[in-house]
Amino acid sequence: MPRPRASRLDPERRQTLLAVAAEEFAEHGFDGASYNRILERAGFSKGVAYYYFEGKDDLYAAVLALTLDTLAQRFGAWQRPADADGFWRALRERYFALTTHIVNDERSARLLRSMSQARTHPKLQEAWLRFEGPLVAWFQRVLADGRALGAVRGDVPESLLLTSLMGIGQATDGWLLEQWAHSGVPALQRGAEQVFSLFEDLLVPKPVGPPPAKRR
Amino acid sequence: MPRPRASRLDPERRQTLLAVAAEEFAEHGFDGASYNRILERAGFSKGVAYYYFEGKDDLYAAVLALTLDTLAQRFGAWQRPADADGFWRALRERYFALTTHIVNDERSARLLRSMSQARTHPKLQEAWLRFEGPLVAWFQRVLADGRALGAVRGDVPESLLLTSLMGIGQATDGWLLEQWAHSGVPALQRGAEQVFSLFEDLLVPKPVGPPPAKRR
DNA sequence: ACCAGTATTAGACCAGTGGTCCAACCATCG
DNA sequence: CGATGGTTGGACCACTGGTCTAATACTGGT
């Protein structure tokens, strides 16, 4: 939790600090980033830094909060679609918006990726909980809506679907970047299309019967 | 890469060092682990340590190699099944063996989990490459066999399937542990069953046609 | 038996880490 | 004016992974 007096810090200095910190954290991740270096570059002395922030983890949390706010703002709220088709259209739209965003804003993307370290990092658990909550809640609403519309399977715990979805999403994020790096934008779009089809295969209700007929 | 002379180190002392290191790395992850503490506990001086190992990363790699060797040995080689049914049976068997192993051997499990940090850690890239290769190769063989047998879809790049599979596997690993912690062994088994069904849904060839009929 | 040369060892030492602490500064208020 | 309390710089701390050196143990050759 940031110190209450953090809000009293001159907005301009605060902005500088957060920008420098974002750069450093994005570049090196949480552990790799040097707090001393951040403070030096931002022109902060130790005393000031620890006066306004509790420490490295607190600053990291502040940076993350900023990034996530921007992201959330960009995507707007989730509204329950009218039917299953609408559900998939809405989801697809978000996913593609997200991939474009990740490709276009490298710093935010790296920062977001560093969050995966945060989940297991002992010093970041508090920070993680602050962000996991809203994020998970968002996904849960989406999944619940999907179920209500018959667009998402109900034969498996929602928490499992959620976990799997985020796992795939994170793993394929790296894969997409590779596609992009190797073969450019068209490959990225094709790749995103294929990733999304995996999401569908995972979430769509399964036919009741025995194993599907073989093709080929 | 471990120093060549590492093999000349007294096997007993080596064993002690690796055991202590495994404990420390499993407990705290790579960054969190203290090299100094490991050396102290194992009764090694700095001089000896750096004489036989290149550094923290090298020691970590050695520990990881040991763990993965044990794991590989335990599971034996993958042999191409006769048909699609055999493929799924073989895969299912491995997966359940893995989950039991992870539940029973906490230290190895934690160590394996720490590998996900290794993938992106700058100091561990060399170590990562040494282990990523064989692991990915194993999965690739499995997937290729599955395709040849018509048990695995061919409409999406193999690399994407591989990435997604490992992503889900990793994400659901944590989920399974939660199930186990909350509701005991039966829940774990049920959970593993469900996770595996997700694997199937992801990998199985998809029917050509339009969206599946709604249930409920 | 002796010595040269190499393998091995302990630990002082180094720059850098995140974090603590305190003396000084400065503004406001009585 | 003095007192109070919010600010500030930076010395300092224990610890990090890593380097280096000087001493010791061990070797083979003469």
Side-chain angles (χ1 to χ4, degrees), chain A residues 34-36 46 50 56 123:
Chain A
S34 162
Y35 199 38
N36 289 335
K46 277 286 174 76
Y50 279 91
K56 195 187 182 185
K123 294 190 65 176

Side-chain angles (χ1 to χ4, degrees), chain A residues 3-168:
Chain A
R3 300 225 137 102
R5 44 178 179 256
S7 54
R8 250 181 285 152
L9 171 61
D10 178 322
E12 197 173 329
R13 291 193 72 194
R14 183 186 164 85
Q15 145 76 22
T16 315
L17 178 61
L18 288 182
V20 170
E23 188 60 40
E24 177 84 9
F25 284 127
E27 179 77 14
H28 304 284
F30 178 76
D31 281 312
S34 162
Y35 199 38
N36 289 335
R37 199 163 36 199
I38 292 175
L39 299 185
E40 193 187 350
R41 286 195 189 145
F44 274 60
S45 72
K46 277 286 174 76
V48 187
Y50 279 91
Y51 184 70
Y52 291 110
F53 293 89
E54 286 182 1
K56 195 187 182 185
D57 48 346
D58 194 22
L59 182 59
Y60 179 75
V63 168
L64 220 54
L66 208 65
T67 308
L68 289 181
D69 272 5
T70 312
L71 199 68
Q73 201 174 338
R74 189 181 233 277
F75 285 98
W78 169 263
Q79 297 193 5
R80 180 166 180 167
D83 54 12
D85 262 19
F87 174 84
W88 282 111
R89 253 185 288 116
L91 205 57
R92 168 186 230 94
E93 186 198 320
R94 306 280 166 144
Y95 181 66
F96 275 78
L98 185 64
T99 58
T100 17
H101 178 261
I102 279 185
V103 165
N104 288 336
D105 183 352
E106 169 123 6
R107 179 185 303 180
S108 297
R110 283 178 170 233
L111 228 30
L112 289 176
R113 236 164 273 140
S114 79
M115 280 183 64
S116 58
Q117 304 175 8
R119 191 176 25 187
T120 58
H121 201 295
K123 294 190 65 176
L124 294 179
Q125 299 234 322
E126 190 191 333
W128 175 251
L129 286 178
R130 273 210 296 140
F131 301 120
E132 189 196 28
L135 201 66
V136 166
W138 191 89
F139 270 112
Q140 272 177 343
R141 265 231 316 283
V142 170
L143 282 187
D145 282 355
R147 276 199 178 168
L149 298 169
V152 169
R153 65 200 295 178
D155 60 337
V156 141
E158 203 175 86
S159 61
L160 175 57
L161 282 187
L162 204 144
T163 304
S164 307
L165 203 59
M166 295 184 74
I168 284 205

Side-chain angles (χ1 to χ4, degrees), chain B residues 64-122:
Chain B
L64 219 56
L66 209 64
T67 307
L68 290 181
D69 272 4
T70 311
L71 200 69
Q73 200 175 337
R74 190 181 231 276
F75 285 97
W78 169 263
Q79 296 193 8
R80 180 167 179 167
D83 54 13
D85 262 19
F87 174 84
W88 282 110
R89 254 185 288 116
L91 204 57
R92 168 187 230 93
E93 186 197 320
R94 306 279 167 147
Y95 181 66
F96 276 78
L98 186 64
T99 58
T100 16
H101 178 261
I102 280 186
V103 166
N104 289 336
D105 182 354
E106 170 125 5
R107 181 186 302 179
S108 296
R110 282 176 171 233
L111 228 31
L112 290 176
R113 236 164 274 142
S114 78
M115 279 184 64
S116 58
Q117 304 175 9
R119 191 176 23 187
T120 56
H121 202 294

Side-chain angles (χ1 to χ4, degrees), chain B residues 111-144:
Chain B
L111 228 31
L112 290 176
R113 236 164 274 142
S114 78
M115 279 184 64
S116 58
Q117 304 175 9
R119 191 176 23 187
T120 56
H121 202 294
K123 293 191 65 177
L124 293 178
Q125 299 236 320
E126 190 191 335
W128 174 252
L129 286 177
R130 274 212 294 142
F131 302 118
E132 188 197 28
L135 202 67
V136 166
W138 191 88
F139 269 112
Q140 272 177 345
R141 264 229 319 280
V142 171
L143 282 188

Side-chain angles (χ1 to χ4, degrees), chain B residues 34-35 46 50 123:
Chain B
S34 162
Y35 199 38
K46 276 285 174 76
Y50 280 90
K123 293 191 65 177

